[in-house]
Amino acid sequence: VLRKPSSAAAPPPLLLAPMEGLADKNFRRALDSTCRGPDEYCHEFMRIPNACEEGFEQKVVRGVLAEYNAAELSVPLAAQIMGSSPELLGEAARQLALRGAPRIDLNCGCPANCVTGRGAGSAMLRDPDHINLCLRRIREGATAGALETCAFPVLSVKMRSVDDRGLFEANLSAAEEAGVDFLALHPRTREQGYRGAAPWDRIAFAADFLTLPVIGNGDVTTPAKARALLAETGAAAVMIGRGAAQDPFIFHRIRAALGGFGGEHVPLPPREEEAALVCAFLERYAAVVAEPGKPLSKRKRRRRARKPFDPNKFRAGKLKQVLKYLFVSQPRLERELRPLLSDTTDADVLLATACALVMDHWGCDGDPREASVDGFA
């Protein structure tokens, strides 16, 4: 249960940020089965349409939510939805409550043009009243579904800041007045995207302005930065995004640095054991990527018919995506990154080579360094 922080002695809740294309099912399952991951994962956002033919609302939304499985992992898996139709967002919340989602989150932060052009994501930050209406409909829908299951999900919103202080305050107030249980803030603006340092002072402002708990997100890549974020902002919890791909052990490191696991100090494993677990993470990730996915849509089947799907190329591409983050925090591994990505096209060879490099170099320069991952965002 999140609450306003009262003591720096207890480790804060640690959450994995929803990241489309990176923190997908493959990444979540690999992290959950190998390294000590977060207290809660979050499904990457599910796009709820802005409109559909009358009478087909339940069917359309059911199709969008088909991939969500609340029991996917050993720890809770929250569900994030994105859209701008209050009615359809409410229907999505009702169905997610029936599916047992422990938390339902509204995305008001995605800066991608393909999202904001449809009035969703960070585009919603222009209209606090609409944010409030959408969140109230989500609360109503979640409550209706929960009455059937007797399990009421937590309601939250993840948003970015805006440069206009009055509008920023109005967005924060809109969320609180709609009855959300907590708010996660990525303090960069939509225009910043993922560039530059995250202005944590805006998290501090939100934590002081609101009576509900605020989760801090942005630039947490080491235990020292997690400690600094908590000290500087008064956040009730820490949400970590790309830093988790950079260092799969980051959640373990933060807990070890800030008070252990439930008050029990659990040391990090020796370098060789940690390197072996990072390799296990990569192997598990590669294995999950190779598993059959959901049935393809008609559009994707037509596309595959024109250009046959190459599973080896797809698997190698996904591995390279993770390796970009993983190797950047280790100086010795970073030196091997460019030739590894450019010279290796076979997925099995790529995996074997990467694991050999990890066993040789992971941790040889100490804990993963504080490294920017903005360039890969």
Side-chain angles (χ1 to χ4, degrees):
V1 177
L2 288 176
R3 55 180 64 87
K4 285 279 189 177
S6 57
S7 170
L14 302 175
L15 293 79
L16 180 70
M19 297 177 285
E20 187 188 29
L22 181 58
D24 56 11
K25 179 176 65 175
N26 312 315
F27 184 91
R28 295 191 300 267
R29 288 168 64 182
L31 186 62
D32 185 55
S33 63
T34 54
C35 307
R36 285 196 137 160
D39 298 303
E40 182 201 72
Y41 290 81
C42 188
H43 195 285
E44 64 273 32
F45 64 69
M46 292 169 278
R47 298 172 187 255
I48 306 303
N50 291 336
C52 70
E53 188 176 344
E54 187 175 354
F56 288 85
E57 293 87 354
Q58 291 188 19
K59 182 178 180 180
V60 169
V61 171
R62 190 180 304 117
V64 173
L65 305 180
E67 277 197 13
Y68 177 76
N69 175 13
E72 176 186 300
L73 306 167
S74 65
V75 297
L77 176 64
Q80 187 182 73
I81 52 179
M82 182 175 68
S84 59
S85 165
E87 290 71 27
L88 290 175
L89 288 170
E91 173 59 24
R94 186 189 71 82
Q95 293 192 26
L96 284 168
L98 290 173
R99 288 170 172 263
R103 176 168 70 91
I104 300 172
D105 185 72
L106 176 63
N107 182 316
C108 291
C110 181
N113 290 336
C114 61
V115 170
T116 58
R118 300 181 180 183
S122 57
M124 296 184 71
L125 300 175
R126 296 185 297 234
D127 189 347
D129 290 338
H130 192 64
I131 291 176
N132 180 273
L133 176 60
C134 288
L135 287 169
R136 284 190 286 111
R137 292 291 180 269
I138 290 171
R139 171 64 78 191
E140 292 166 4
T143 300
L147 288 173
E148 298 185 41
T149 62
C150 296
F152 288 81
V154 170
L155 173 61
S156 62
V157 59
K158 186 171 189 286
M159 65 171 59
R160 286 176 175 259
S161 67
V162 294
D163 288 328
D164 183 317
R165 176 56 65 91
L167 181 58
F168 186 36
E169 292 180 356
N171 286 330
L172 296 174
S173 296
E176 183 161 47
E177 290 166 7
V180 299
D181 296 293
F182 65 81
L183 180 146
L185 182 65
H186 182 114
R188 292 183 181 93
T189 64
R190 171 189 170 187
E191 291 72 25
Q192 283 180 282
Y194 300 96
R195 297 181 301 274
W200 288 351
D201 60 304
R202 299 187 181 192
I203 301 175
F205 175 83
D208 182 64
F209 182 79
L210 298 170
T211 60
L212 54 82
V214 172
I215 296 178
N217 173 228
D219 289 354
V220 178
T221 54
T222 64
K225 296 198 82 169
R227 189 191 298 274
L229 182 143
L230 292 166
E232 293 175 22
T233 68
V238 178
M239 180 175 283
I240 298 173
R242 289 162 179 81
Q246 181 178 302
D247 177 15
F249 274 92
I250 190 169
F251 299 103
H252 191 153
R253 293 187 210 285
I254 292 172
R255 291 192 191 97
L258 299 183
F261 297 79
E264 177 187 357
H265 177 66
V266 180
L268 288 161
R271 189 205 74 82
E272 295 81 4
E273 184 180 336
E274 187 174 310
L277 286 169
V278 172
C279 289
F281 163 76
L282 289 172
E283 290 164 354
R284 175 62 174 158
Y285 181 79
V288 175
V289 167
E291 292 177 2
K294 67 176 182 178
L296 298 176
S297 65
K298 290 182 179 179
R299 186 181 64 175
K300 288 187 176 180
R301 285 200 300 270
R302 287 196 298 268
R303 189 185 305 161
R304 293 271 177 93
R306 293 193 301 269
K307 186 177 181 181
F309 176 66
D310 184 343
N312 175 71
K313 184 177 180 181
F314 174 76
R315 190 161 161 252
K318 293 293 289 184
L319 274 170
K320 289 181 179 181
Q321 181 187 30
V322 170
L323 290 173
K324 284 180 182 180
Y325 290 96
L326 190 67
F327 277 34
V328 76
S329 65
Q330 303 271 339
R332 300 189 195 196
L333 289 174
E334 188 177 24
R335 289 194 290 270
E336 304 287 346
L337 181 59
R338 188 175 296 277
L340 179 65
L341 298 183
S342 60
D343 299 344
T344 313
T345 57
D346 182 86
D348 291 331
V349 173
L350 179 66
L351 176 62
T353 305
C355 286
L357 290 169
V358 167
M359 290 303 300
D360 287 342
H361 301 307
W362 183 267
C364 288
D365 299 303
D367 289 346
R369 65 181 177 176
E370 188 175 304
S372 171
V373 293
D374 294 351
F376 300 132

